[in-house]
Amino acid sequence: MALTLPETTLARLRACYAQPQRRYHTQAHVDALLRGLAQHAALAMRRDLIEAAIWFHDAVYEPARSDNEAQSARLARTELAAIGWPDDAIERVASLVLATAQHDAARDDRDAWLFLDLDLSILGQDASTYRAYAEQIRAEYAFVPEARYREGRIRVLGRFLERDAIYRTPALHAAWEAAARANIDDELQRLRGA
């Protein structure tokens, strides 16, 4: 039987995603991933656990901190234990949340890759949607001086281009890989040229 999150838990998570420091990592991001999961549900082995990971993966988001994923996984463990989820399900959700730190997983972990690919779906959208996303990320890091932001953003984006594939789920790779690489190239040119 599929596990579900009660409305009281979802309400607490919605409050997290409404925090003022967020511009991209908001409820709209969660909703986009949930729509993506619904669209590609046939690819999921445990849709319920992926859905929970979507809700929790950015629940703790402070741009100045480097432990957001660990803190989000900790929150997931606490909240899911409180509603009586089985330990193995709780640990699976926490492991999915933690995987977003490096956007990497075991090669054969189909559900992890589906989740991670959905989390990066914004990279493969049309150019104007991608540019809006890039502006939202910059706004979340408004406290970082411009030169330092550019250096860090170039490093992060460069890591994606160094991969053999940004998306590991075959259907999502086919749908988004080329656009993601083009969008990242475009942003890198803007970051290096301005």
Side-chain angles (χ1 to χ4, degrees), residues 66 69-70 96-104 116:
S66 62
E69 296 86 1
L96 290 171
V97 170
L98 289 169
T100 63
Q102 299 298 322
H103 275 91
D104 201 8
L116 293 172

Side-chain angles (χ1 to χ4, degrees), residues 132-144:
Y133 146 77
E135 290 168 6
Q136 291 166 337
I137 294 296
R138 181 62 182 113
E140 288 182 340
Y141 286 87
F143 61 91
V144 178

